[in-house]
Amino acid sequence: MAGEFKVNGVSFATESGGTLTVNNSKVRLPSSGNGIEDSSGNSVLSESGGKTSINLTGDFVPSNSFMFRNKVINGGMKIAQRGTSTAFAHDGTTNGYVLDRFRIYLNNTDEYDCTVSQHSMSAAELNTTGHSKALKLLTGTAESAIANDEYVRIDTKLEGQDIQDLQYGTAGAKSSTLSFWVNSSVTGTYGITFYSQSSQARALNATYTINSANTWEKKTITIVGDTVESSPDDNTLGMMVVWSLASGSNYDGVNSTSWSNYTTTNLNGGHQQDGVVTTASAVFYLTGVQWEVGSSATPFEHRPIGMELSLCQRYYQDLGRWLIQGQAYGSGNDGLGYPIRWITTMRAAPQILEQFVTHGGSNADLVFNQITKFGCSPEALKISGNSGTNIYYLTDIQAEAEL
């Protein structure tokens, strides 16, 4: 992606393909001191207090926003609303979320189990990565061999309306850069897939190499924009980024290193190292995930924790324990509704994940009415019996509207 350096609307330098071109008619070095002047001798950049400080005269206009550069939510792995550890197994839970916005998916495995948790970094790890938390996947029972129809992956999904600035489906489709920190006990080549949802789903495969075991390494992958297919400008799936941990040949038989129509054979294209899944006690860590417009990786965008939590709550939120009380006013199928407003507006009308605690009143039920992205109306319902009966439900309420 080309960039431009302007001061007060005047272009002083342009960048294209990594080459910086200075407009010599607009800029010059000062006759004394260190800095940059415009063609009239007015200071644009000047040194102050030594080489570590630069004064900018005029307005600096970046080509991309400094705020919300990172399109990935919870890339620092700090939010874990569902809990900080979950067991996954071929004969149990095969997919779901532990850390918000990052899903674990086991497909057709017949031996494998693992534990996914939120890892708290040591002081040395924090010093290296700049992050205090990470996603940790620890293999328990290993898969003895990866069959053609098996795979294990981590993925994160983005809404189409949040990636419109990439201009996919146009001649000006923009390049973008994914960066992240990774650490594993198993070295080798791992696959990354960018899956773009549109009228014709598209995929682009890339790879990265873990060079040293049990060592934090930062990886950067830059991809071109897709000029063929556009992203939906709504709250449905626009992009899914996939970290492959194991893949059978049904899913990695084609390595699409440029944007191509999606088929199951390029879901994990380019992936080679299955050792995390085929080795007991193998470990894989991930943190500092950032995906941004442009051909360069910028420093990770550390958003305030309250803001990051709010972004996550668009897709999942835990409302805690509620006491829903009522009194039947007829002979049956009636009760009183209580309006509940979600903590933040959700992506879509959510699924209610009720965790029942206890209730009072015979022949009673708890139902959720008028479920929208804004809230719902739970009702302690008397199924049958005399009017005037007191009923109540004590329950934990979660709402989920994941992509």
Side-chain angles (χ1 to χ4, degrees):
M1 175 184 174
E4 188 173 17
F5 175 69
K6 293 182 178 180
V7 177
N8 290 334
V10 177
S11 177
F12 284 92
T14 58
E15 179 274 333
S16 180
T19 300
L20 182 67
T21 302
V22 176
N23 187 341
N24 292 324
S25 66
K26 298 293 184 180
V27 64
R28 68 184 190 187
L29 297 177
S31 57
S32 62
N34 296 319
I36 298 175
E37 295 178 346
D38 64 19
S39 57
S40 300
N42 300 311
S43 175
V44 174
L45 286 173
S46 61
E47 181 188 53
S48 176
K51 295 182 180 180
T52 59
S53 179
I54 293 291
N55 294 328
L56 172 65
T57 304
D59 299 322
F60 176 67
V61 183
S63 58
N64 294 316
S65 173
F66 286 155
M67 295 184 62
F68 287 96
R69 303 185 316 280
N70 191 3
K71 296 187 176 299
V72 173
I73 297 173
N74 199 32
M77 308 297 176
K78 288 188 174 183
I79 309 299
Q81 295 184 82
R82 296 169 175 86
T84 57
S85 182
T86 297
F88 293 85
H90 69 281
D91 56 354
T93 301
T94 57
N95 71 88
Y97 295 83
V98 183
L99 279 65
D100 284 53
R101 308 300 301 127
F102 284 82
R103 183 179 65 158
I104 312 302
Y105 201 104
L106 281 54
N107 187 74
N108 286 332
T109 57
D110 49 23
E111 300 166 280
Y112 186 65
D113 68 63
C114 65
T115 300
V116 177
S117 60
Q118 184 183 52
H119 170 67
S120 294
M121 299 287 220
S122 67
E125 290 176 305
L126 174 61
N127 183 63
T128 298
T129 66
H131 294 277
S132 62
K133 302 292 183 183
L135 182 153
K136 175 183 178 181
L137 183 146
L138 173 65
T139 294
T141 301
E143 194 79 4
S144 57
I146 303 301
N148 293 343
D149 63 345
E150 296 177 341
Y151 65 76
V152 176
R153 77 182 194 220
I154 300 169
D155 63 49
T156 189
K157 300 179 179 181
L158 292 82
E159 294 178 46
Q161 60 192 359
D162 288 335
I163 61 173
Q164 292 301 302
D165 55 334
L166 290 169
Q167 298 173 228
Y168 278 20
T170 75
K174 297 180 180 180
S175 295
S176 58
T177 299
L178 176 73
S179 57
F180 55 93
W181 285 92
V182 66
N183 182 338
S184 179
S185 58
V186 181
T187 61
T189 300
Y190 293 75
I192 289 280
T193 297
F194 296 84
Y195 171 91
S196 177
Q197 183 65 58
S198 56
S199 57
Q200 168 60 62
R202 306 271 283 172
L204 186 152
N205 303 128
T207 60
Y208 65 96
T209 300
I210 295 178
N211 299 295
S212 301
N214 304 310
T215 302
W216 281 104
E217 299 175 353
K218 187 173 183 179
K219 307 301 176 182
T220 300
I221 298 170
T222 298
I223 63 170
V224 298
D226 185 3
T227 60
V228 176
E229 292 288 342
S230 61
S231 302
D233 190 12
D234 55 29
N235 64 346
T236 61
L237 177 64
M239 180 68 72
M240 177 172 67
V241 183
V242 176
W243 287 259
S244 299
L245 298 181
S247 179
S249 60
N250 290 357
Y251 301 101
D252 63 11
V254 175
N255 185 12
S256 300
T257 56
S258 60
W259 283 108
S260 304
N261 290 346
Y262 168 76
T263 64
T264 54
T265 55
N266 63 5
L267 175 62
N268 302 314
H271 180 76
Q272 298 178 26
Q273 178 56 271
D274 298 334
V276 170
V277 175
T278 59
T279 306
S281 300
V283 67
F284 181 90
Y285 298 90
L286 179 68
T287 194
V289 180
Q290 180 154 295
W291 185 44
E292 58 193 303
V293 177
S295 300
S296 301
T298 64
F300 184 82
E301 182 181 14
H302 290 275
R303 292 186 284 253
I305 190 70
M307 180 183 295
E308 204 72 30
L309 174 61
S310 181
L311 293 172
C312 291
Q313 287 171 333
R314 177 171 173 80
Y315 305 93
Y316 175 89
Q317 50 187 264
D318 187 342
L319 280 74
R321 185 158 297 179
W322 283 73
L323 176 63
I324 311 298
Q325 294 179 299
Q327 185 178 68
Y329 52 83
S331 60
N333 291 322
D334 55 46
L336 295 175
Y338 286 77
I340 292 178
R341 179 85 177 188
W342 304 133
I343 299 168
T344 188
T345 301
M346 302 198 74
R347 181 189 66 85
Q351 176 186 4
I352 305 299
L353 307 175
E354 169 202 352
Q355 295 184 6
F356 170 74
V357 179
T358 187
H359 79 278
S362 60
N363 301 318
D365 195 9
L366 178 64
V367 297
F368 289 85
N369 301 315
Q370 301 174 342
I371 302 172
T372 72
K373 64 181 180 180
F374 303 110
C376 69
S377 181
E379 181 179 0
L381 183 70
K382 185 69 174 177
I383 298 175
S384 62
N386 297 326
S387 63
T389 302
N390 292 318
I391 51 180
Y392 72 88
Y393 267 78
L394 186 63
T395 186
D396 294 330
I397 300 174
Q398 296 88 34
E400 183 176 271
E402 297 285 358
L403 286 160

